[in-house]
Amino acid sequence: MGRPARFWKSNEKTGSVNCLACFHRCDIPDGRRGFCQSRVNKNGILYTLNYGYTASLALDPVEKKPLYHFQPGSMTFSVGAPGCNFSCLGCQNHDLSRPGSSWPGVKYNPDIITRLNQMAFDNGADSWSFTYSEPTVFLEYAIDLGLEAHLNGLPSIWVTNGSMSPEVLKALPPAVSAMNIDLKGFTKKFYHEVAGGRLTAVKDNIELALSLGIWVEVTTLVIPGLNDSISELEQLTSYLAALSPDLPWHISRFFPRHRQSHIPATPISTLERAKDIAQNNGLNYVYIGNAFSPKYGDTVCPSCGLSLIKRHGFTVLENQLTNGGLCPKCLTKIAGRWNYNFEANQA
């Protein structure tokens, strides 16, 4: 049956339950599941079906999330569970996010939280990441694991579509220290037709996460013909710059996947144009992902232009930041969470 879920309320008159985990706020009749397929109403009580159901587990560079201003050069233990509350046409993990009746993964024994944290330490992880699918739909599992990791000195990261309810987001610290939030496009039409989400919910959560002191970076998968117009990129990057010019933005290259296999890969020229637009609108830290080229992933001082962190793909080649996160040339403070000793880790 699973474990009792958090963030829901009952409707005693109808026997249904109202899930409060995300923007859908599903009203779930007895015996039925919500949109994400991971939460079920049993006799008027909402249960989560994927607690401890670890479908994917790996040790990754934190740059792969992608996070470039949070402990650069470190390794993060990544976990994912089945289910999702979006229905992206180009989902690269659709077998995991929308598994239907087939739930992939290995179900660990009841001491899953303690065991996984020990695995993280044994493998030299510097943080936890909840990723591959949407952590909002396995929030109980992610919060419990993140809280124990926090008590043991490991921060946690959510790689998320940003669609959790405000109630959930406000409850995340200190179980979550950083987020990479997908801002998939900047029109209601795109979110509705391509992602199955809601733009206003994501924007609200980016703003709320920043106000809560969570370190936030934003990723946009640029898809030819769908969200790559100059007008949309102008609006999206102007919005981010207005929140903070120091908010890192990752431009991700699209490749044909799932129900968008007919769409060609994003031209490099489109990605470079998006970067130019973002920088012209005032964003200081703009990165191009899924396209390996020199300097696409470098962190550059916005004041003097010095390449502070040089990367090749997900590998940090050089980090010139001082311990306080300052540019060594002009002493500009570089926005980020830099409490990780890159040189010591290379010894």
Side-chain angles (χ1 to χ4, degrees):
M1 183 181 292
R3 289 174 60 112
R6 303 178 191 175
F7 303 100
W8 62 278
K9 61 183 180 181
S10 62
N11 187 332
E12 295 181 359
K13 291 183 179 180
T14 64
S16 67
V17 298
N18 183 213
C19 178
L20 305 177
C22 77
F23 75 100
H24 284 297
R25 296 188 178 269
C26 294
D27 187 65
I28 308 173
D30 187 28
R32 302 291 295 273
R33 298 186 188 188
F35 179 86
C36 67
Q37 295 296 301
S38 66
R39 311 171 94 72
V40 64
N41 176 1
K42 290 290 186 181
N43 300 317
I45 298 174
L46 187 65
Y47 290 87
T48 174
L49 297 174
N50 53 12
Y51 191 100
Y53 214 138
T54 304
S56 185
L57 191 65
L59 186 66
D60 294 323
V62 74
E63 280 78 14
K64 192 176 181 180
K65 299 304 102 186
L67 286 175
Y68 281 15
H69 290 241
F70 186 86
Q71 299 185 335
S74 66
M75 301 298 290
T76 185
F77 217 42
S78 301
V79 63
C84 189
N85 57 352
F86 272 29
S87 53
C88 297
L89 298 181
C91 181
Q92 62 179 350
N93 291 325
H94 59 91
D95 290 338
L96 176 62
S97 63
R98 308 299 297 177
S101 60
S102 175
W103 281 61
V106 177
K107 190 170 260 186
Y108 287 84
N109 63 25
D111 65 350
I112 177 69
I113 302 299
T114 301
R115 286 191 62 193
L116 283 178
N117 269 293
Q118 187 59 54
M119 288 175 65
F121 278 108
D122 291 346
N123 283 276
D126 303 289
S127 63
W128 268 102
S129 286
F130 303 100
T131 180
Y132 304 128
S133 56
E134 173 51 45
T136 299
V137 306
F138 60 96
L139 67 92
E140 294 84 1
Y141 181 24
I143 288 175
D144 287 352
L145 187 51
L147 284 173
E148 180 152 327
H150 175 77
L151 292 175
N152 288 294
L154 291 184
S156 293
I157 297 160
W158 275 33
V159 181
T160 174
N161 59 30
S163 65
M164 68 287 293
S165 68
E167 298 97 312
V168 169
L169 184 49
K170 290 175 183 177
L172 292 185
V176 178
S177 298
M179 287 182 164
N180 185 291
I181 300 177
D182 281 343
L183 184 55
K184 295 178 180 292
F186 213 66
T187 66
K188 292 180 181 179
K189 177 180 172 68
F190 178 91
Y191 259 89
H192 176 70
E193 296 182 357
V194 179
R198 186 178 299 162
L199 174 60
T200 54
V202 179
K203 290 170 63 179
D204 288 346
N205 280 333
I206 292 173
E207 295 166 29
L208 179 56
L210 289 168
S211 74
L212 292 170
I214 297 171
W215 178 255
V216 175
E217 302 189 21
V218 173
T219 294
T220 302
L221 179 68
V222 178
I223 307 174
L226 293 178
N227 65 350
D228 62 342
S229 70
I230 292 177
S231 174
E232 185 164 351
L233 293 171
E234 286 278 5
Q235 293 178 59
L236 187 154
T237 56
S238 295
Y239 165 75
L240 294 178
L243 294 180
S244 171
D246 291 332
L247 182 60
W249 186 46
H250 300 264
I251 310 162
S252 188
R253 189 184 190 193
F254 168 85
F255 288 97
R257 293 289 187 276
H258 194 31
R259 286 179 285 171
Q260 291 181 327
S261 60
H262 60 288
I263 299 177
T266 315
I268 296 298
S269 59
T270 299
L271 305 175
E272 292 177 337
R273 181 182 67 192
K275 182 174 182 178
D276 289 342
I277 290 171
Q279 291 176 328
N280 288 338
N281 282 330
L283 284 175
N284 288 328
Y285 309 108
V286 184
Y287 304 100
I288 294 176
N290 279 353
F292 297 103
S293 180
K295 298 186 178 182
Y296 277 178
D298 288 1
T299 298
V300 177
C301 176
S303 297
C304 71
L306 179 66
S307 289
L308 298 166
I309 304 175
K310 297 180 180 179
R311 299 179 178 89
H312 179 72
F314 302 130
T315 302
V316 172
L317 304 176
E318 182 181 358
N319 186 346
Q320 297 190 59
L321 280 175
T322 68
N323 288 335
L326 302 179
C327 171
K329 182 178 178 181
C330 68
L331 302 183
T332 293
K333 177 72 173 179
I334 306 301
R337 305 286 170 86
W338 311 113
N339 57 334
Y340 176 74
N341 190 330
F342 174 79
E343 291 184 357
N345 194 56
Q346 304 306 302

